[in-house]
Amino acid sequence: MASNRSKIPPQALVRVVEFVRNSMAGLHRRLVPGHIALLEMVVAGFLTQAIHAAAALGVADALADGPRSGAELARATGANEDALHRLLRLLISHGIFARRSDGKYTLTPMARVLRRDAEVSLRDAVLFFGSPVHRNHWTHLVDAVRTGETVGTDLDGMSFFDYVQKDRELGELFDRAMTSISTLSIEPLFAAYDFAQFGTIVDVGGGHGTLLTEILSRTKTPRGILFDLPEVVASAPARIAELGLTDRCTVEGGSFFETVPEGCDAYILKHIIHDWSDDKAEQILRTLRARMPEGATLILIELVLPEDNQPHPGKYIDLEMLVNAGGRERTEAQYRDLLADSGFTLLRRIPTAAPDNILEARPTRGS
């Protein structure tokens, strides 16, 4: 369960830091020759694969009990000592791992999140984004841009979500990766929004229940329903019981294209709508609209693209949606229109200290 609840910086401070960082990056790009600046961006892909290699070898786990020499670390990870040194030399230059004056390697704050047992671990996310299937899809970005269609169906013979259900090893890695990324926004969400105001909350497409169990653990009165595909929520009851929430949380299996639990106070969709095209997203939202009471609240938790040209995480994820899932990231205006077309009225957008925004909507009367 997420902790460090007091460590969320004020949103104003986060925005200032983002501004300064973007300004410094922009200054760097203007000061160096264009070919140098572009080349730096191109070889950044090498760094991504180097991080993936360290995660796959378990380097961070091997350093969990303390610093090790190169020979000790090579034996522990099953790696060639010289090649491992060359890998770590690059990562160390970016603050991922460190080497002491005695030659022993040790963890840094960034390296710690590559551990399996880290409080907030990105190991599975690194392994997924560096996996052969994911890399192969991205090599076909040019095809996706030419056609406007996701490449997975042509490469794998089926949609991405069908593929990860068929290849359960990759599917389980994907589920763990998305859960680990989801934990990064937990604290900012609770700092920005009061979930205790609702009686019964449905987490639609809630995966393993990370967000819903956090809501119930931090509040006294709401009850929860975790809703996702049967195979996804199969292990959820055991975790809910372990957290002592069985009397307040139930689990239902099903497809949000067909149905969702009826008559609840709040329906949360966290990082769901961005996975789908406008037509599919509208189908999901209309399914909810048909089952929601008039006064119920719809809560979409999504990256919301800015209208300006500043760097934003959503601009990366938008291409990920194009390549793999067939969805898209959207601006506030695009979400407003999508919700209106689906029978909802957008009430407000609530920014958080993370890139995520909370879009609060209600069923439009008479729709």
Side-chain angles (χ1 to χ4, degrees):
M1 205 175 288
S3 62
N4 299 325
R5 300 184 183 183
S6 63
K7 296 184 179 181
I8 301 302
Q11 288 187 38
L13 177 59
V14 172
R15 301 289 92 86
V16 169
V17 171
E18 288 178 347
F19 175 79
V20 172
R21 181 179 62 188
N22 292 338
S23 298
M24 294 299 293
L27 179 62
H28 170 73
R29 290 192 296 270
R30 289 192 295 272
L31 290 177
V32 302
H35 61 279
I36 298 297
L38 183 61
L39 187 59
E40 288 177 345
M41 295 180 186
V42 170
V43 299
F46 300 172
L47 178 60
T48 299
Q49 289 308 123
I51 298 170
H52 173 267
L57 290 167
V59 176
D61 292 318
L63 292 173
D65 293 329
R68 287 188 171 189
S69 68
E72 293 170 335
L73 192 56
R75 286 194 297 270
T77 59
N80 174 274
E81 183 179 351
D82 177 63
L84 183 60
H85 164 71
R86 294 161 69 182
L87 172 70
L88 291 175
R89 181 168 56 191
L90 171 62
L91 296 177
I92 288 169
S93 69
H94 289 275
I96 309 168
F97 301 102
R99 195 177 189 192
R100 305 190 319 183
S101 58
D102 62 4
K104 290 187 176 182
Y105 296 98
T106 188
L107 294 172
T108 61
M110 280 193 288
R112 290 190 187 98
V113 301
L114 292 176
R115 287 175 52 178
R116 296 172 187 266
D117 61 350
E119 183 178 11
V120 177
S121 173
L122 289 181
R123 176 182 178 274
D124 290 320
V126 169
L127 291 178
F128 173 75
F129 287 123
S131 67
V133 170
H134 191 269
R135 290 201 310 271
N136 184 38
H137 285 189
W138 266 85
T139 62
H140 294 268
L141 173 62
V142 64
D143 298 320
V145 173
R146 280 179 177 148
T147 66
E149 302 291 337
T150 180
V151 301
T153 301
D154 288 339
L155 295 175
D156 306 321
M158 62 191 74
S159 72
F160 173 77
F161 292 109
D162 288 339
Y163 186 81
V164 294
Q165 291 305 316
K166 178 183 177 182
D167 183 344
R168 285 314 298 156
E169 182 177 354
L170 181 66
E172 289 170 5
L173 176 61
F174 172 73
D175 291 342
R176 294 195 304 270
M178 295 304 101
T179 296
S180 67
I181 291 174
S182 180
T183 61
L184 302 179
S185 63
I186 291 290
E187 295 303 329
L189 287 177
F190 282 97
Y193 196 78
D194 177 22
F195 294 96
Q197 62 184 294
F198 303 111
T200 302
I201 300 170
V202 186
D203 192 354
V204 179
H208 298 150
T210 300
L211 175 59
L212 184 60
T213 54
E214 280 284 352
I215 290 173
L216 298 182
S217 296
R218 297 173 187 233
T219 57
K220 296 181 179 180
T221 56
R223 301 181 64 84
I225 302 174
L226 177 64
F227 182 84
D228 210 319
L229 294 171
E231 58 269 28
V232 174
V233 297
S235 63
R239 183 170 184 273
I240 291 169
E242 181 181 334
L243 295 172
L245 296 171
T246 303
D247 60 335
R248 294 174 57 204
C249 187
T250 58
V251 177
E252 295 187 26
S255 169
F256 46 51
F257 287 110
E258 300 170 358
T259 188
V260 294
E262 187 174 16
C264 301
D265 301 301
Y267 291 73
I268 299 175
L269 291 91
K270 184 173 187 289
H271 299 166
I272 300 296
I273 296 301
H274 80 144
D275 284 334
W276 303 97
S277 66
D278 286 346
D279 289 344
K280 290 290 188 181
E282 184 175 339
Q283 184 180 346
I284 295 169
L285 292 170
R286 285 194 174 278
T287 300
L288 269 72
R289 178 64 183 88
R291 307 286 285 180
M292 289 175 64
E294 291 295 329
T297 300
L298 174 67
I299 301 168
L300 304 184
I301 301 170
E302 296 283 1
L303 300 174
V304 176
L305 293 177
E307 299 282 1
D308 59 33
N309 293 319
Q310 291 300 311
H312 189 274
K315 296 178 181 180
Y316 290 92
I317 304 303
D318 185 45
L319 290 183
E320 169 72 8
M321 295 299 103
L322 173 62
V323 169
N324 278 307
R328 65 187 309 132
E329 301 301 332
R330 297 172 173 89
T331 63
E332 180 179 346
Q334 288 173 319
Y335 272 114
R336 187 181 301 276
D337 290 344
L338 176 62
L339 287 165
D341 291 342
S342 307
F344 291 93
T345 299
L346 179 62
L347 302 179
R348 56 177 177 156
R349 175 172 71 91
I350 306 167
T352 74
D356 281 324
N357 284 245
I358 300 167
L359 299 166
E360 188 180 66
R362 291 268 171 81
T364 303
R365 293 188 180 276
S367 62

